Amino acid sequence: MRPKVPLISKRKVCEVALAIIDEEGIDALSIRRLARRLGVNGASLYHHFENKEDIVVGAALLALSSVRTPETSSEDWRVWFLRNTQHLKAALEQHPDLIPALIRRNALRLGLSEIDSTFALLEEQGLPIGLAWTLMETLESFVIGVVMRERTADGADDAEETYDAFPHLRRATTERMLSNDEAFVLGCQAIIDGIAQAAESAPRRPAAKRAGAKKVGRATTVTPRRASVSNTAKTAKTAKRSSAPARRRAAG
Amino acid sequence: MRPKVPLISKRKVCEVALAIIDEEGIDALSIRRLARRLGVNGASLYHHFENKEDIVVGAALLALSSVRTPETSSEDWRVWFLRNTQHLKAALEQHPDLIPALIRRNALRLGLSEIDSTFALLEEQGLPIGLAWTLMETLESFVIGVVMRERTADGADDAEETYDAFPHLRRATTERMLSNDEAFVLGCQAIIDGIAQAAESAPRRPAAKRAGAKKVGRATTVTPRRASVSNTAKTAKTAKRSSAPARRRAAG
DNA sequence: ACCTGAACACCGTTCAAGT
DNA sequence: ACCTGAACACCGTTCAAGT
């Protein structure tokens, strides 16, 4: 039977899905379970979502909605970019199960318009626009990696005797100088400074396009490369990899 | 019936599992499918493995076996550590589906004895042992994040007109200065240099244990500014150090 | 000890049928 | 248009039974 006002709202579905994921982990999320908790039949959800992945992505977007508007203050970009990165990390840490889904759907990135205005501000503050993508993507990658790594089991090396055979390892542990948080900030800061450094040895403006082959890294002479990076680019190397499309389900 | 020589070897199972994962993705790996390809009954696998996760981890270890022995040459650690990191990235890129399993089981790390000897060499080469974990974990995290991010769908912004509304975004794309590979090396190098920098402002040896440890980072910040992220692994630099512009900290 | 078929308790998804 | 029960084609895992 059909009620005049729909029983199901996409929003509500995503909220409950997110609750299940946060409470019991993403493996506990099944269509039937989600539907039961919504007081609804599982099949009904397919009138509102394409498939389960769609629901997970919806939950993920919900989880990240708080950090999807970047703070772009009037401070130096090195400062607010670091702070934004820390916010992203904090948000991802609250829902680490969702990271793969966010990556799959490219949903980690801000919307195009936010990116555009962010890039505008970066350029205004003196960063060569040609480094904006690198800055954003590199820090995003770092955050993803750090948060994913935090989830390691880590439950094997508790034996005190384990260290006896490995004195350096023990000392590395006991004399550890940086906490995880400090290490994270150090990494972010290093990347930011690295980009800033690259900026200094780059042409101020796209005036002399070819002139800017400076060395940024030892093994990496920077050749200005403009092949549209969007989707078609990424070159053959990554294209090969990303050619794994939606898996066919009942193909067998 | 039981043959005198077991039909199933753990090794063979992991190899076939890895083949399925690489050929069709991890979602295509099911016990029944794996068993059929092995010419065996699915239930039989449970005499050799605890569960499916165990099999996946076995496949993952197989995939990483080539990079699990670090190259520790006599070069400066900044050099061989970068190279090892690149090797790890290359290995993970060949089996990105396995990264979550590797993380879950903490299998990405080297064995304890390898870590111990790696740390020994690092200390021998002058790195304060208290920074060894941070160095290793930070770069590992970065690699994980970069490889995971490479898997993004990325298929929505193909419309040429999309960029019309976002001029900065377009220019950021067309004037992009660093390729993905270059950006990766830049990030690694920046982290390595950042650690090296932290090492310089640290006590050489655990002499005054509590003396310097505290002020290394204060929740957000790591020691004095490092403006000179050296381009090359060889550091040497230092010249520009004083030119560091008054940098504000992201205090909160 | 090792392998098997059958069964258990689940899945995601589709679809004709109801209103 | 929206919801439902039933069914389809799968899952991972267990277990008594075979040898």
Side-chain angles (χ1 to χ4, degrees), chain A residues 33-46:
Chain A
R33 216 126 132 37
L34 174 59
R36 180 152 37 85
R37 191 144 150 183
L38 284 160
V40 124
N41 186 289
S44 307
L45 296 174
Y46 288 86

Side-chain angles (χ1 to χ4, degrees), chain B residues 64-75:
Chain B
L64 271 213
S65 57
S66 62
V67 283
R68 290 180 62 82
T69 33
E71 295 178 19
T72 53
S73 72
S74 59
E75 303 163 291

Side-chain angles (χ1 to χ4, degrees), chain A residues 106 109 116 123 130 137 140 148-149 152 166 168-169 171 176-178 185 193 222 225 231 241, chain B residues 93 106 109 116 123 130 137 140 148-149 152 158 166 168-169 171 174 176-177 216 220 225 227:
Chain A
N106 211 352
R109 287 183 189 169
D116 192 71
E123 185 173 33
E137 290 189 319
E140 208 173 278
M148 294 226 67
R149 246 207 63 115
T152 306
F166 309 115
H168 299 90
L169 206 160
R171 290 184 41 243
R176 192 165 177 157
M177 292 168 61
L178 300 179
V185 174
D193 289 345
V222 179
R225 148 209 124 98
N231 50 354
R241 181 166 311 289
Chain B
E93 276 173 336
N106 211 353
R109 288 183 189 167
D116 192 70
E123 186 173 32
E137 291 189 318
E140 208 173 278
M148 294 226 68
R149 247 207 62 117
T152 304
D158 46 359
F166 308 116
H168 299 90
L169 205 159
R171 289 183 42 241
T174 57
R176 192 165 176 159
M177 291 168 60
V216 162
T220 56
R225 264 316 336 133

